[in-house]
Amino acid sequence: MGGQVQNMDEEHDQLPTLDEVVSEIIRNHEGVANDWKNLTGWAPANAAALLDASRLDWLASLAHTLRLWTTTKPNQEEHDGQLILAWANLGSLLEGTMKFEMDPENWTSL
């Protein structure tokens, strides 16, 4: 059992920090934003139109705002409002990423 605890400690030491996770999310969404600019040619016309309407170029900006939720501590009056905005921020990133990553064959059913 002692070996298992040591292995868990070693795995825990290798986990990324919150700042590293946020930085990776930002990098990924900046890549999506760059890909979004070049849809013509690799995405079918209907998929390109859907992605254009989704404003995937805003994902990088939304990803950068994640730092607001990890670096500031709201006062008591702002807490619930900031929590709601943080969840909306995460939901928008998730939805935008799903739209971008989905199989183009399924985009016409959205």
Side-chain angles (χ1 to χ4, degrees), residues 25-82:
I25 291 169
I26 291 169
R27 268 192 303 279
N28 288 338
H29 285 88
E30 285 174 343
V32 168
N34 288 333
D35 289 344
W36 175 82
K37 294 175 188 174
N38 302 310
L39 289 174
T40 307
W42 67 265
N46 60 339
L50 176 64
L51 291 170
D52 189 46
S54 299
R55 293 305 312 244
L56 296 177
D57 56 327
W58 288 348
L59 288 179
S61 182
L62 281 172
H64 280 278
T65 64
L66 290 175
R67 295 215 190 276
L68 290 172
W69 318 123
T70 62
T71 59
T72 60
K73 183 174 173 83
N75 61 40
Q76 188 172 0
E77 292 82 22
E78 296 173 344
H79 181 269
D80 289 345
Q82 285 198 17

